[in-house]
Amino acid sequence: GQMADGMVRDQADWFERATPFLFLLLWSGGYVAGRLGIVDSTPITLVAIRFVLAAGLFVLIAWLMGARWPRPAAMGWIALVGLLNQGLYFTFAYLAFDEGIGAGTAALISALQPVITACVALPLLGERVRVHQWLGLVLGFAGVTLVIWNKLELGLGTAAGVAWAAASVLSITVGTLVQKRFCPVFDLWTGGAVQYLAAAAFTIAAVLVSETPSVNPTFSFVLVMAYLVIGNSVIAVSLMNLMIRKGEAARVTSLLYLVPGGAAALAWLILGETFSPLALAGLAVAAFGVWLVMGQRGRRAPARRGQATKS
């Protein structure tokens, strides 16, 4: 009995240690999967299929687990967050891919989201931004600008693609703020179902309005879709929530700085995307900028919470 208990404990410890790396791999791989997916599908159609399947899966899981649905007042806010953080974010990101923006570059632009939230938006919520955070914001933008300028010089991607990628970051920044302010806590499965249903409704409408849907159902496309729905939407999101629930929000944030590097490495291995020495320097500068903004905040947060509970 003791031996069996020990084995279960060892497996649990191993899983806990592996969780951050598994999350990083799945999350970074999403950018590569997106680039592969648009080979066989028009971009918004790809996103719409993903959200319809994810919504169905989340509704099924919520029903099987008997999870409680949000109150009607909260449901509207959760749906709005789904529209911004899923619907608009991924639609714009995939339009950027369609304009030739690489997986590594898209991941790097996305990495600015927590930086923008911290420096530009947190003052709106009454949080003070420190000098090193402003410095990080400047470095983050400088690094990303260097990478984008270098890629455009080499003819990899278009200005329109950069604009779509920037719009995707803006939408998830606004979505994050709405969530922090109006619906910070909700059930993972029912809340996820509401978010994906809102995102699916938006993307289906967007397909009908803006593109002639075309899907070539190759084996590669089916694999990409399975990865995006199960690997990204269900497993990666669940791992992220698991880490946050264990009080490791700072660790999740710090993992997100590694995503551009992870996505660039996977894109190099799988898609043959390369970064010139200048672009690699930009990647490093941007990563340092994001760390300056987020790493310090993550370490200071517990002390601030402790003070709040005493007062």
Side-chain angles (χ1 to χ4, degrees):
Q2 278 183 326
M3 195 172 157
D5 285 351
M7 280 174 69
V8 169
R9 256 200 315 277
D10 285 349
Q11 283 174 334
D13 287 349
W14 180 87
F15 177 73
E16 207 166 299
R17 278 200 295 275
T19 299
F21 299 102
L22 186 57
F23 166 76
L24 179 64
L25 187 67
L26 288 169
W27 204 254
S28 301
Y31 291 93
V32 176
R35 285 282 295 165
L36 287 168
I38 59 161
V39 172
D40 292 309
S41 169
T42 44
I44 308 176
T45 303
L46 177 70
V47 182
I49 295 168
R50 172 187 179 169
F51 287 147
V52 167
L53 293 173
L57 211 49
F58 269 69
V59 168
L60 178 65
I61 295 168
W63 176 69
L64 288 172
M65 294 182 73
R68 285 179 58 186
W69 287 86
R71 290 196 304 278
M75 209 174 264
W77 289 115
I78 295 169
L80 178 60
V81 170
L83 175 66
L84 290 161
N85 282 4
Q86 306 288 342
L88 288 171
Y89 171 70
F90 280 103
T91 298
F92 294 154
Y94 281 48
L95 286 168
F97 290 150
D98 203 42
E99 290 284 343
I101 295 295
T105 310
L108 183 60
I109 295 169
S110 292
L112 284 181
Q113 181 265 322
V115 179
I116 300 165
T117 306
C119 291
V120 179
L122 285 182
L124 299 175
L125 298 175
E127 281 197 37
R128 202 158 56 83
V129 181
R130 294 177 175 84
V131 174
H132 68 260
Q133 292 178 307
W134 287 118
L135 176 64
L137 180 71
V138 171
L139 285 174
F141 271 98
V144 169
T145 304
L146 195 62
V147 172
I148 290 169
W149 173 70
N150 183 243
K151 291 277 184 184
L152 294 181
E153 283 274 292
L154 296 171
L156 301 167
T158 64
V162 175
W164 284 125
S168 77
V169 173
L170 192 63
S171 68
I172 199 170
T173 303
V174 175
T176 303
L177 283 172
V178 170
Q179 186 171 339
K180 276 178 192 244
R181 178 78 179 77
F182 298 106
C183 52
V185 181
F186 50 81
D187 179 84
L188 170 63
W189 301 113
T190 54
V194 170
Q195 287 191 329
Y196 283 122
L197 286 166
F202 164 75
T203 45
I204 289 167
V207 167
L208 296 174
V209 169
S210 66
E211 77 182 19
T212 307
S214 151
V215 176
N216 183 18
T218 59
F219 180 62
S220 157
F221 181 78
V222 173
L223 278 182
V224 161
M225 196 50 71
Y227 182 92
L228 290 173
V229 174
I230 297 165
N232 255 161
S233 297
V234 178
I235 300 174
V237 169
S238 301
L239 290 175
M240 180 158 76
N241 280 287
L242 194 68
M243 288 188 286
I244 290 170
R245 283 205 182 140
K246 290 199 145 173
E248 295 178 356
R251 183 188 239 191
V252 174
T253 315
S254 58
L255 280 172
L256 292 175
Y257 334 132
L258 300 175
V259 168
L266 288 171
W268 170 67
L269 279 170
I270 297 165
L271 304 173
E273 282 183 18
T274 55
F275 272 69
S276 69
L278 187 66
L280 283 173
L283 190 70
V285 168
F288 180 62
V290 176
W291 177 82
L292 263 184
V293 176
M294 305 309 297
Q296 311 290 329
R297 269 187 78 229
R299 280 204 294 280
R300 285 173 194 214
R304 211 166 41 232
R305 272 202 300 275
Q307 285 158 5
T309 50
K310 280 180 204 161
S311 56

